Amino acid sequence: MATTKGSLLDVAKEFASLGVVAFGGPPAHVAMMLDRLVHGLGWIDEASFTSLFALTQALPGPSSTQLATALGGLRAGVPGAVVAFCCFDAPGFLVMAVAGCSHGALAAIERPEWAERLLASAQIGLAAAAVALVAKAVITLGTKCAPDKLTRVLATGGAVGAMLLPGSGWLFPALLAAGGAVTVAAQAASKPPLSAQ
């Protein structure tokens, strides 16, 4: 795994800025980390980044936070992992904490119609920006993480399965197991028999 070492200040600066501008959920966050930390700064090579990203997909929890923690750890050890986690999650935590705590108070206040229109417009604009970021992430990560036909077929099949059976707790472990079995079978079929070697 090719990585470069750096300071806690580097980790704090990069992940704090990503935490402030990373909208669109984990896929968009991962694409932004790929653009900034791999292609822009060269903290880690692309193959290692893809391996770490694949590992986060097999773990429960938010993949972008796990990836940020791993990248911070690679860059500056255990303290770097802690700093990356805190800096990446702090902006979202603060915004959502304020939003959650103030929701009841704001609901009791009668707001003018122009304020309601402004809030509705901001919500529509943020949703559109999030869709654009997720679309960019799908294209970027799709070309990096699914370079061959079999992987693209498995990814498409998994996406279709997730759309047809939303909310099924057993679906993702089943898709992982099925994808692994198909991959092993495909690799075994592509190897020549022992008598031919």
Side-chain angles (χ1 to χ4, degrees), residues 24-167:
H29 302 167
V30 171
M32 292 176 87
M33 287 182 213
L34 177 66
D35 285 344
R36 178 74 182 143
L37 303 177
V38 177
H39 298 148
L41 297 175
W43 278 15
I44 185 173
D45 63 81
E46 200 169 283
S48 300
F49 181 90
T50 303
S51 295
L52 282 175
F53 177 61
L55 178 61
T56 68
Q57 299 306 296
L59 298 173
S63 59
S64 57
T65 299
Q66 294 165 347
L67 187 59
T69 303
L71 291 170
L74 284 171
R75 183 76 176 161
V78 173
V82 173
V83 167
F85 172 80
C86 293
C87 290
F88 185 67
D89 281 354
F93 167 78
L94 292 172
V95 168
M96 294 311 296
V98 169
C101 293
S102 62
H103 178 70
L106 290 175
I109 297 172
E110 187 173 333
R111 294 181 293 266
E113 189 177 329
W114 66 266
E116 290 294 332
R117 286 196 308 269
L118 180 66
L119 288 172
S121 298
Q123 184 178 5
I124 291 168
L126 287 172
V131 168
L133 286 170
V134 170
K136 181 184 184 300
V138 167
I139 292 166
T140 301
L141 295 175
T143 57
K144 303 296 180 194
C145 296
D148 59 273
K149 185 178 179 180
L150 176 62
T151 307
R152 287 191 292 273
V153 168
L154 290 172
T156 303
V160 169
M163 286 188 289
L164 293 176
L165 300 166

